Amino acid sequence: MLTGVFILCAYLLGSISSAVLVCRLWGLPDPREHGSHNPGATNVLRLGGKLPAILVLLFDILKGTIPVWGGYFLGLDPLALALVGAAACLGHIYPLFFAFKGGKGVATAFGAMAPIGWDMTGALVVTWLLVALVTRYSSLGAIVTCIVAPLYTYLFKAQYTGSVVLVSLLILWRHRANIVRLWRGTEPKLGQKKRRAD
């Protein structure tokens, strides 16, 4: 019962689109209809600059962290925590309150993995930064980080490896269009305008 409550709450929290709300507060275009058409921090950065993008990023991270951390302190087992984290990501990707048009779920997935520990959090951040800064592809940074996240988890807290695999697979599936564009060489780099929707 407790696991079910947390899964539902995680999905509902994930369904709050911070990108859409922040853009409305800042008087910016709807991120679902402009830029990359993706309601996430990267697109908000293109549309409105650093401050609104940072706010979106922080809130999207908390959408994953709050339910998983809460479940952890109430004694949910690793599988239950994995389902809670996945539910938060699904809420972000398919938000109930925003016509099921959501983002890629990267920041929310990061937030769901962060309670594993500061060492895990640091490894994820460094990996994303290195790949994104070297290649200038934000999506590639996310993809590589998702691929290595289970390995980091195994090294730091092996009992949560299966949980992280589940969340990572969800995010990789959501990035399938980005993977195709990266392969074709048509994926926009950081700082470039995106010509078409995902």
Side-chain angles (χ1 to χ4, degrees), residues 129-143:
L129 283 174
L130 283 175
V131 176
L133 291 176
V134 170
T135 67
R136 304 297 298 171
Y137 289 115
S138 175
S139 59
L140 184 58
I143 291 165

Side-chain angles (χ1 to χ4, degrees), residues 15-152:
S15 290
I16 301 173
S17 180
S18 58
V20 175
L21 295 177
V22 168
C23 283
R24 287 178 183 174
L25 288 173
W26 254 257
L28 299 172
D30 190 327
R32 297 169 298 178
E33 300 175 0
H34 295 81
S36 67
H37 294 209
N38 179 58
T42 301
N43 195 30
V44 173
L45 177 64
R46 294 187 184 109
L47 297 173
K50 293 180 181 179
L51 180 56
I54 289 172
L55 292 176
V56 170
L57 178 64
L58 290 176
F59 187 77
D60 285 350
I61 289 172
L62 288 175
K63 290 194 299 187
T65 300
I66 290 172
V68 171
W69 224 331
Y72 174 80
F73 280 115
L74 289 178
L76 296 186
D77 60 52
L79 176 59
L81 292 175
L83 295 175
V84 171
C89 293
L90 283 171
H92 180 84
I93 296 169
Y94 303 109
L96 176 65
F97 310 124
F98 294 86
F100 300 101
K101 295 180 180 179
K104 296 295 179 63
V106 175
T108 304
F110 171 76
M113 296 178 191
I116 292 174
W118 289 111
D119 43 10
M120 175 74 170
T121 303
L124 294 174
V125 170
V126 169
T127 300
W128 184 89
L129 283 174
L130 283 175
V131 176
L133 291 176
V134 170
T135 67
R136 304 297 298 171
Y137 289 115
S138 175
S139 59
L140 184 58
I143 291 165
V144 172
T145 302
C146 281
I147 291 173
V148 300
L151 173 60
Y152 291 157

Side-chain angles (χ1 to χ4, degrees), residues 171-183:
I171 303 306
L172 287 172
W173 176 83
R174 188 66 177 88
H175 278 77
R176 60 196 185 281
N178 301 86
I179 293 171
V180 171
R181 287 195 298 269
L182 285 165
W183 179 259

